[in-house]
Amino acid sequence: MEDLKRLFRKGSLLLTLLCLAVAAGSFFTGFKEDAGRKQPEESWEPAMEISGSATTGNTGAADKGKEPQEALPSPYFLEEPDSLVTIFDVNLDGLIGAYTFIHRKGNLQTFYVQIGWREGGVPEIISTAVSDIAEIKLTEKGYFIYAYTVQLYHSSLRQFWRAAPLSDRCRELTEKYLDGLSYVNYNVLVTDWDSSNVEDILMPCMFEDLYRMDTGEILRPENGEIPAEVYERIMTTYFPVTKERIREICGYRADTDSYPYEMIFSSPYPPFGEVVGDKENPDGTLTLFVDGVWPDYNSDCAFTNIITVQPFDDGTFRYLSNSIEKKELDIPNVYEMK
């Protein structure tokens, strides 16, 4: 579930109920069919079910639920002697994962069942797995974060869902202004800057992300170069900087009228930002209040940003300033992360 961008972004109530019914049935069928597994000594009714329409994948994008769902109480697994909760993870490709977290005699485990579909829409259990849980946490903001005792192959240090979704407005602002920006590959989000020192954050490697945000497409440079017209249009649109300053800072090549393509070697499982509030200013600008979320380090508010943007009538916008403040974790150093 590491690369899941969004979990069941749009879906009707009927489809959600169908998925829950199929997943629940398949879960108990799996117990019966797997004769080689030790059967549970007794069974409980799930204390709460968080459906795919009320949780998110672990890239940070909030789900499409309109109101926050009821949150699991923080000491849930500590005060109850024997407890169980099931989370249904509905993927965009139709696969369903049922994660059942069990607290029994002071120990935490998760039983995972993956359900697929045969021809004709018949559900079938594809795989099952049992894993010990080292720690589990539900934050006040609604992040459900946990870590396996033995880390899975190619996985992050911790897994998570957002059980209490952002408001519709905060989610829309996050998708428009933050999705695609990095805290660890360049300085845009980790440096205090405005129009007086914007040159400090102009790093060629950030152009690839800006291009994807602007066009919705992946950058495909020709012979390792980017046409100056494209490069300068995007950079002058999204930052308060002139074409002349961009040419001085970003390596303009007059002989080819282009800029060199600088590839990003991304850091795995980085923090991501989510808008938690905003303010419309009299001059038409918009101030965004952002929490930096870093589940790998067990934090849903590692640091906070205040970002000012200028929306334009054509749907584009310009970043005007950024400030960042340390909260639960140190602010990432771009050069140390490389």
Side-chain angles (χ1 to χ4, degrees):
M1 67 180 192
E2 262 49 60
D3 297 323
L4 184 62
K5 177 64 179 176
R6 295 178 181 86
L7 182 63
F8 204 50
R9 291 188 56 197
K10 298 178 180 179
S12 65
L13 176 62
L14 179 60
L15 180 57
T16 300
L17 294 175
L18 173 62
C19 291
L20 294 179
V22 171
S26 299
F27 169 75
F28 290 108
T29 301
F31 268 108
K32 294 179 180 179
E33 292 184 351
D34 192 353
R37 270 187 210 281
K38 182 180 178 180
Q39 299 296 318
E41 297 174 1
E42 55 181 307
S43 61
W44 298 270
E45 289 297 321
M48 180 176 292
E49 295 176 352
I50 307 176
S51 73
S53 60
T55 59
T56 64
N58 65 341
T59 60
D63 74 331
K64 302 302 285 188
K66 292 185 178 181
E67 297 294 335
Q69 304 297 306
E70 178 186 357
L72 293 170
S74 296
Y76 178 76
F77 285 106
L78 300 179
E79 294 183 352
E80 295 289 336
D82 290 313
S83 307
L84 176 151
V85 62
T86 298
I87 296 176
F88 294 97
D89 184 356
V90 184
N91 293 276
L92 297 178
D93 60 3
L95 293 180
I96 301 172
Y99 297 80
T100 297
F101 294 85
I102 302 172
H103 177 263
R104 180 183 297 165
K105 298 179 180 179
N107 296 317
L108 280 169
Q109 282 190 321
T110 180
F111 181 74
Y112 172 72
V113 179
Q114 185 180 54
I115 300 107
W117 304 91
R118 297 176 183 172
E119 186 175 351
V122 179
E124 65 175 342
I125 294 177
I126 297 176
S127 63
T128 62
V130 176
S131 302
D132 291 331
I133 299 297
E135 61 181 18
I136 198 167
K137 174 183 179 181
L138 184 77
T139 70
E140 292 185 4
K141 286 173 57 178
Y143 275 91
F144 183 81
I145 305 172
Y146 63 98
Y148 293 111
T149 301
V150 177
Q151 189 172 345
L152 305 180
Y153 290 116
H154 308 296
S155 72
S156 57
L157 294 177
R158 291 177 175 84
Q159 323 297 317
F160 75 95
W161 289 278
R162 207 186 201 292
L166 289 168
S167 68
D168 286 347
R169 178 165 176 81
C170 285
R171 183 169 54 251
E172 291 168 1
L173 294 174
T174 299
E175 292 175 352
K176 182 175 180 64
Y177 296 112
L178 287 179
D179 275 5
L181 288 185
S182 172
Y183 274 96
V184 298
N185 292 330
Y186 37 79
N187 289 331
V188 173
L189 294 177
V190 296
T191 300
D192 291 348
W193 64 270
D194 56 25
S195 59
S196 67
N197 66 332
V198 65
E199 292 87 353
D200 294 345
I201 54 96
L202 295 180
M203 303 174 68
C205 62
M206 70 183 182
F207 179 80
E208 186 169 6
D209 286 347
L210 294 173
Y211 180 88
R212 183 170 54 251
M213 292 173 64
D214 182 80
T215 66
E217 300 176 356
I218 297 174
L219 177 65
R220 292 181 172 82
E222 297 180 6
N223 300 318
E225 296 184 347
I226 303 167
E229 180 182 2
V230 175
Y231 195 99
E232 292 165 1
R233 178 188 66 79
I234 289 179
M235 295 295 281
T236 57
T237 295
Y238 288 95
F239 294 101
V241 65
T242 64
K243 180 176 70 175
E244 289 71 26
R245 289 298 290 152
I246 291 174
R247 291 192 172 191
E248 293 176 13
I249 296 171
C250 297
Y252 173 71
R253 296 171 177 171
D255 57 335
T256 58
D257 192 30
S258 65
Y259 290 82
Y261 168 61
E262 186 171 312
M263 182 181 295
I264 296 176
F265 293 94
S266 299
S267 300
Y269 315 117
F272 57 86
E274 62 180 16
V275 176
V276 295
D278 69 287
K279 181 179 70 173
E280 296 181 352
N281 303 311
D283 61 359
T285 61
L286 183 65
T287 300
L288 307 175
F289 302 97
V290 176
D291 284 354
V293 182
W294 208 340
D296 241 27
Y297 291 91
N298 217 17
S299 174
D300 66 359
C301 188
F303 20 80
T304 59
N305 294 74
I306 300 178
I307 302 172
T308 302
V309 298
Q310 174 68 65
F312 297 126
D313 292 338
D314 62 0
T316 61
F317 59 90
R318 177 172 295 154
Y319 297 106
L320 298 180
S321 66
N322 173 74
S323 64
I324 185 168
E325 181 180 353
K326 172 183 173 179
K327 291 298 183 181
E328 297 177 351
L329 297 173
D330 290 335
I331 297 170
N333 185 313
V334 171
Y335 301 101
E336 291 180 356
M337 297 293 292
K338 295 297 184 183

